[in-house]
Amino acid sequence: MYVVVETPQGNVGRDLIYLFEEGDGQLIEFGARTQSEDPVPSATHCAWCGFYVVPFVLPPEARLASTLSVYLTIDEARENGHGLRCHHCSLLQCTFCADFVESGDGGPTPHCHACGQELKDLVKVSPSA
């Protein structure tokens, strides 16, 4: 379901993840997401901002592998609405609410916004799971 609002500057749409320009589909990020002081555990929504987090689905050809790790860049995860689940406290969080810090190799490393544990993988899945 999409909601579209007509404005004098052009139509703006809203889906489960983003605001976007209706004409060309260009994403609009509208600043920092409002974060709750207390996380709300959920299997489908970010514990901090309440935005829907899109489940990662394996492509059909990958389901033949016995073990598979898939690594997404932060931008890829954000563009597709994927999030991170902490293996320590199990909270689901969108990539906007996850705390990213500079790692020793100069790249950003995600940390759980709740417990501070390092999130080693953006997505790690097994076809049998």
Side-chain angles (χ1 to χ4, degrees), residues 46-123:
C46 176
W48 300 100
C49 69
F51 273 66
Y52 180 72
V53 176
V54 177
F56 182 80
V57 178
L58 286 173
E61 63 274 8
R63 295 182 186 161
L64 300 175
S66 60
T67 302
L68 177 69
S69 294
V70 179
Y71 298 93
L72 302 175
T73 66
I74 296 166
D75 289 339
E76 288 170 331
R78 284 185 177 167
E79 287 172 12
N80 293 301
H82 299 307
L84 307 160
R85 184 174 305 279
C86 179
H87 296 291
H88 185 258
C89 70
S90 298
L91 287 179
L92 181 64
Q93 50 206 321
C94 70
T95 54
F96 292 92
C97 291
D99 292 326
F100 287 90
V101 298
E102 290 298 316
S103 66
D105 61 8
T109 301
H111 283 75
C112 179
H113 191 69
C115 67
Q117 295 292 315
E118 183 177 334
L119 301 169
K120 298 185 186 303
D121 305 319
L122 287 178
V123 179

Side-chain angles (χ1 to χ4, degrees), residues 2 9 18 29 32 37 40 44 66 72 81 102 106 109 112-113 119 124:
Y2 298 94
Q9 292 80 22
Y18 286 107
E29 182 56 44
E37 292 293 322
V40 178
T44 57
S66 60
L72 302 175
E102 290 298 316
T109 301
C112 179
H113 191 69
L119 301 169
K124 189 170 186 176

Side-chain angles (χ1 to χ4, degrees), residues 6-25:
E6 295 179 6
T7 71
Q9 292 80 22
N11 294 350
V12 176
R14 170 81 165 100
D15 61 13
L16 289 173
I17 307 164
Y18 286 107
L19 292 174
F20 57 89
E21 300 285 345
E22 185 188 31
D24 61 6

